Amino acid sequence: MPGVCSKRAPSTKRPTSGSKPLHKPMLSLTFARRPLYRLTFVAGVVTTCIVLISCVLWYQSRQFVEWQIKEHLRGLVRISAELFTGEELDQVRDESDTPKAVYRDLVERLYGIMLADNRIDSAYLMRRTDDPSALVFIADAEALLTFEEQDKSGDGTLDETERIPLPGEFYDATDVPMMQGPAFEGTVTDEDFVIDQWGRTISGYAPIFRSDGSVAGILGIDVQDRDYRELTERLFPSALLLLLLLLGLIGGFYVAFIFMERRRKLLEQLENERAGMLQLVMHEVGEPVTMLNWMLESLESKPTEAELREQLPHMKTATAWLQRIYNALLRADRAGKTAARDGHPSKPTPLRTVLKELHAQVAPELAERSQELQMRIEDDPSVAVDRELIMGVLRELIANASAFSPQGASIRLQVELRGRHWVQIEVSDKGCGIPRKDLQRIFQRFTRGSNAARMKPVGTGLGLFVVHEVVTRARGRISVSSREGKGTTVTVVLPRG
């Protein structure tokens, strides 16, 4: 396939030692990386945001409900403590005081507090001892219940969770910091839920004062965590949390899938390029190497001068063949670098002048096949691409159109303006066309249409790849529309100069 940067006959000169070897792997996925990276990044950000928002909402809902319960408890226990006096508490010391009317009166008032708010699980009075971590019971709201009422399990016995503590019984407050001092100083609540023999509860405490202002004991009110769970569920349902986490999980799997799919396509592309390179070596390089070997063998038999003159053109043809393949590979390897360096020239390139020079170059070659180039240009636009690069791009497209068109065909080159910032160039032919299955990868390295060998047996599959690299790195776009047997149109859109 003709090269992009030169249309001169291949040189028969052997590559010098200063020539750059083709030592780097060649990839052709640069045109797909940015959208893929952008999509993967967006998916990762969305997934992370969903998970973080779910966790924050769940945590904030729990904190809000806990604050609401604590506020309710503080207000309730503060008001309820006003129903008791320190002198009444001082009259109840141990189990022997249970027959006293004051004891019964204390219990009934505690029970009334429980009945007034169905969220209260228990209410009790306690006093401190010489040991800050040990308190003693004064009265419990359920102390006057019958045995049957206390036996909630109905098994005829009272277990540790059913038995009501009697006055004077000790309570270990080691794991309840608020009961070891703060509760006797002001209205407080537990920092978190406490687990004891009565279940998982959060409690509020308020001191009960004597008439002289000293503290005789505390009132404690417990709220079971069922209210906490119900309020949390109402504010932020578990189903919603699971849904958000599920969305985050799906997003994570999607990101993983994108990466795996990208890796699969990259490996597939590398395999295609490896196969293309192998095919190029076997098909294109094999024949001239065979020709050279045959001629070298003939030289070993000491040929005459006439035989040498006869073999010399064949040797030149073989070396020129190899040189052409080497040059095509070298151009493909350098195309990206050249385009990146020259894709933004300091001055614009007028297309009318380029097309005039191009027509003069290709007309003799087209005439050999009885073909003609029809050109139509709107106005005199300039493009922001180096002169040699745009000349090479158009020469390659015309050479392809000629190679895959029959004798006597016409090739059309049309230049139009697209708005104020773009120039569109179309090269059309009525040749063999490109099969639909090949269009998707026609700009990849070593890629030729599956029907290309019928029209052009010799080709490297690098021409359109180089054209694509030059155009895209010059901030342009290139596309192909084709119907097999009907012809092909290559459209190049470049920024105006």
Side-chain angles (χ1 to χ4, degrees):
M1 185 174 290
V4 169
C5 300
S6 176
K7 194 61 178 148
R8 293 173 299 193
S11 170
T12 59
K13 193 176 178 183
R14 293 179 58 191
T16 64
S17 59
S19 300
K20 268 193 170 180
L22 300 178
H23 61 278
K24 295 196 296 185
M26 294 184 282
L27 302 178
S28 57
L29 294 179
T30 55
F31 59 92
R33 284 177 182 170
R34 287 186 181 177
L36 184 59
Y37 278 137
R38 189 180 299 116
L39 181 62
T40 304
F41 175 76
V42 171
V45 170
V46 170
T47 300
T48 304
C49 288
I50 289 175
V51 173
L52 287 177
I53 290 173
S54 302
C55 295
V56 169
L57 288 177
W58 177 79
Y59 177 77
Q60 290 292 340
S61 65
R62 288 176 61 93
Q63 292 294 103
F64 178 73
V65 170
E66 187 173 316
W67 176 80
Q68 287 279 59
I69 290 176
K70 288 180 178 178
E71 283 296 302
H72 170 74
L73 262 180
R74 275 191 283 266
L76 180 62
V77 75
R78 184 186 303 111
I79 294 173
S80 299
E82 300 294 332
L83 301 176
F84 305 92
T85 64
E87 286 74 16
E88 291 176 313
L89 271 58
D90 289 339
Q91 297 180 46
V92 181
R93 291 290 176 178
D94 51 37
E95 186 178 351
S96 63
D97 295 321
T98 55
K100 293 181 179 180
V102 65
Y103 174 74
R104 178 177 293 272
D105 189 40
L106 291 174
V107 172
E108 288 177 349
R109 272 180 274 173
L110 290 171
Y111 194 69
I113 293 172
M114 284 185 57
L115 295 179
D117 192 329
N118 57 8
R119 288 176 290 185
I120 298 176
D121 187 69
S122 63
Y124 45 85
L125 297 171
M126 289 184 176
R127 65 165 54 90
R128 70 171 110 200
T129 65
D130 294 336
D131 183 358
S133 62
L135 305 181
V136 294
F137 280 98
I138 298 173
D140 187 279
E142 297 180 328
L144 299 181
L145 296 180
T146 64
F147 180 86
E148 289 75 14
E149 290 174 326
Q150 294 183 39
D151 184 17
K152 296 177 182 178
S153 62
D155 58 1
T157 60
L158 297 179
D159 58 30
E160 188 66 22
T161 62
E162 295 172 333
R163 194 182 69 82
I164 305 301
L166 297 172
E169 287 190 17
F170 283 91
Y171 175 79
D172 185 3
T174 303
D175 298 328
V176 190
M178 291 300 172
M179 299 182 74
Q180 297 177 27
F184 292 89
E185 298 169 1
T187 304
V188 294
T189 62
D190 291 329
E191 290 293 331
D192 201 353
F193 284 89
V194 176
I195 300 177
D196 57 16
Q197 63 266 37
W198 291 285
R200 186 170 183 267
T201 61
I202 187 168
S203 305
Y205 314 100
I208 298 174
F209 298 95
R210 301 184 182 93
S211 57
D212 62 1
S214 60
V215 178
I218 60 170
L219 168 66
I221 295 178
D222 298 345
V223 176
Q224 284 281 359
D225 67 343
R226 62 175 178 270
D227 294 317
Y228 177 76
R229 292 196 304 268
E230 290 173 0
L231 289 172
T232 303
E233 182 70 18
R234 199 178 307 161
L235 186 63
F236 193 78
S238 300
L240 179 59
L241 175 62
L242 290 175
L243 177 61
L244 292 175
L245 291 178
L246 181 61
L247 289 175
L249 187 63
I250 291 174
F253 277 116
Y254 176 73
V255 173
F257 171 77
I258 289 293
F259 274 110
M260 289 189 292
E261 185 66 10
R262 176 183 177 275
R263 178 178 175 82
R264 183 191 67 79
K265 289 182 178 179
L266 180 60
L267 292 176
E268 181 181 341
Q269 182 58 44
L270 288 173
E271 176 60 25
N272 289 339
E273 291 187 359
R274 185 199 66 79
M277 184 63 154
L278 183 62
Q279 184 180 11
L280 174 67
V281 171
M282 293 173 62
H283 183 263
E284 297 290 328
V285 180
E287 190 168 341
V289 168
T290 302
M291 186 185 300
L292 287 173
N293 282 334
W294 176 76
M295 286 182 285
L296 288 173
E297 288 176 2
S298 67
L299 290 176
E300 291 178 352
S301 61
K302 298 182 179 180
T304 64
E305 184 177 349
E307 289 175 331
L308 285 175
R309 288 199 185 102
E310 181 183 353
Q311 296 293 344
L312 188 60
H314 297 297
M315 295 180 69
K316 287 183 177 180
T317 299
T319 54
W321 196 341
L322 291 174
Q323 183 69 44
R324 178 183 57 80
I325 296 171
Y326 171 80
N327 288 341
L329 291 170
L330 194 61
R331 281 193 298 271
D333 189 50
R334 292 176 175 174
K337 301 174 186 176
T338 305
R341 184 180 66 247
D342 299 330
H344 307 284
S346 57
K347 59 181 181 179
T349 301
L351 277 180
R352 189 175 291 276
T353 305
V354 170
L355 293 181
K356 184 177 180 180
E357 181 180 341
L358 178 67
H359 189 275
Q361 290 182 8
V362 302
E365 300 171 15
L366 296 177
E368 294 177 3
R369 294 173 53 84
S370 301
Q371 295 173 341
E372 66 171 344
L373 177 62
Q374 300 175 352
M375 295 195 301
R376 188 175 74 84
I377 181 168
E378 178 184 333
D379 200 0
D380 186 13
S382 298
V383 291
V385 184
D386 179 78
R387 175 186 176 85
E388 290 302 317
L389 287 177
I390 188 61
M391 179 78 79
V393 165
L394 296 177
R395 191 163 44 226
E396 175 66 30
L397 296 180
I398 293 172
N400 273 351
S402 172
F404 296 107
S405 295
Q407 295 274 350
S410 295
I411 299 166
R412 184 173 62 88
L413 190 154
Q414 182 172 315
V415 179
E416 297 178 347
L417 298 177
R418 283 288 178 264
R420 295 189 303 169
H421 305 293
W422 300 96
V423 177
Q424 177 176 293
I425 306 171
E426 284 187 353
V427 178
S428 305
D429 63 64
K430 302 294 182 182
C432 64
I434 304 171
R436 182 188 297 270
K437 64 179 181 179
D438 300 328
L439 286 174
Q440 186 177 1
R441 58 187 189 92
I442 198 65
F443 293 120
Q444 297 176 5
R445 295 180 198 252
F446 310 115
T447 298
R448 303 180 75 203
S450 54
N451 60 348
R454 296 201 303 266
M455 300 292 292
K456 185 182 178 184
V458 178
T460 62
L462 291 171
L464 285 180
F465 163 76
V466 176
V467 168
H468 179 273
E469 287 293 296
V470 171
V471 171
T472 54
R473 289 181 180 270
R475 297 177 298 157
R477 302 187 300 275
I478 183 170
S479 61
V480 175
S481 60
S482 182
R483 290 181 61 189
E484 192 170 6
K486 299 294 184 180
T488 301
T489 298
V490 179
T491 303
V492 175
V493 179
L494 293 169
R496 292 187 67 174

